Amino acid sequence: MAYIESLIPGIKMFIKGRGCIIALTSGAILAIYVYVLESLSTHYTVLALTITSTISAILMDNFILVNTLRGLYVSGAPPSFIRRVLLCYGLLISMTISLPLIITFKCWFKLVTPILTFIVAYTILTFMYKRLSREGIML
Amino acid sequence: MSMDITIWLRDVWKTYVDGERVVTALKGVNLSVKRGEIVGIQGPSGSGKSTLLKIIAGIERPDRGDVIVEGYNLNMLDENGLAMLRNTVVGYIPQDLGLIEELTIYENIELPLLIAGMPRNERRARVLSVMEYIGLKGKEKAKPSRLSGGERQRVAIARALVNTPTIILADEPTANLDWSNAVKVLELFRKIRDDFNTTIIIVSHDPRVMKYTDRSLLMCDGFLSENKLLE
């Protein structure tokens, strides 16, 4: 229970931020592309576009992310707690982008899309956290 | 070192690299603070006051020197150890308060208890009792952005106090307040000290704040000394 409750800041970041709107809109538009243009080259192009969409969604929430990380740091959150929150947020963003695409994509693209977007999201978030810690922007 | 000493610093040095310039923020600072004492540190901007506070809070590490807080040698603690210190031993209030604007007042104050892994019922009871003590009862669901400067400061104090730390460190707690609200905050610090025997360090550039402390120190160009400006 305590583990699930520790994810609350990550869920709040996702709900209150604008990143989720970007993620949902991008996912839906890309899903329509896939549905209308069924060629394999379109699938690859859309897969590449999910990466930029994921990055855009996270950058849109930059202010909320920095604010939340600072709040957690001041309150005495250990690095493992902060990483857990980022993991939760990254998972929610990647699933929001991927879900519409999973419906319209065919074959192995269904599997690759959520994994790829999650890896991109968590990598960006980890870099952001490390940069904040290194440059002392936390406080 | 006496058992009564909660904070003990010896020959602490801290240097920053700012572009091509090397800035020495602390130059051999020595300090000892007794339990239940309110210490004020006055000094101009850039004199090293906030750096000193961050080192005591375990947010920054000194280049040289010993820092012992409640028996913990901060040089010996890793990141998890320093986080534990900030969560349970030291309540740190940064100058910009560090509140999470997306969370309610209740959730902001609850955060240190959530991090400590306290059960929900216990957390609720603790947060509500601290909110009542601080004078924020009835504002549980409000967002920090809806509050006045004085109330926001109180939220930050409540968050620092909720895990019953033995030390509270406040960085310019009156900087964004008018004097009447500043006095209320300073009197609240005195009440906390009287009720819980908490050690409090207040950093401020305002000499009026020092009248509300037991002992005043002067930070100037990285050196810490007794404050003789008030005499």
Side-chain angles (χ1 to χ4, degrees), chain B residues 42 179 186 205-212 230:
Chain B
Q42 190 198 337
W179 184 240
L186 294 168
H205 66 276
D206 189 342
R208 292 177 296 178
V209 171
M210 300 303 133
K211 288 175 190 160
Y212 290 84
L230 295 173

Side-chain angles (χ1 to χ4, degrees), chain A residues 43-44 47-48 50-51 94 98 101-102 105-120:
Chain A
H43 282 39
Y44 280 113
L47 201 60
T50 56
I51 295 171
S94 66
S98 304
L101 287 162
I102 290 172
F105 262 145
K106 285 174 186 167
C107 61
W108 60 273
F109 282 100
K110 280 182 194 289
L111 186 70
V112 167
T113 311
I115 295 169
L116 182 72
T117 50
F118 175 69
I119 289 169
V120 171

Side-chain angles (χ1 to χ4, degrees), chain A residues 6-27:
Chain A
S6 71
L7 303 176
I8 290 170
I11 298 166
K12 289 263 177 179
M13 270 197 303
F14 174 75
I15 295 168
K16 306 280 176 178
R18 289 179 185 165
C20 65
I21 298 166
I22 302 285
L24 191 64
T25 314
S26 304

Side-chain angles (χ1 to χ4, degrees), chain B residues 132-198:
Chain B
E132 190 172 359
Y133 178 82
I134 296 285
L136 289 167
K137 196 180 175 188
K139 306 224 171 194
E140 290 86 0
K141 289 183 179 170
K143 292 283 171 66
S145 56
R146 293 289 176 95
L147 301 182
S148 67
E151 285 173 325
R152 283 171 64 86
Q153 189 69 49
R154 280 170 185 270
V155 175
I157 295 171
R159 187 188 56 191
L161 192 65
V162 74
N163 229 356
T164 57
T166 53
I167 298 163
I168 289 181
L169 307 172
D171 194 354
E172 299 277 6
T174 60
N176 301 315
L177 305 177
D178 58 71
W179 184 240
S180 65
N181 272 314
V183 168
K184 284 180 190 166
V185 166
L186 294 168
E187 280 172 350
L188 179 60
F189 279 128
R190 290 194 79 96
K191 186 171 180 273
I192 291 167
R193 189 275 305 271
D194 294 342
D195 292 346
F196 305 109
N197 200 28
T198 311

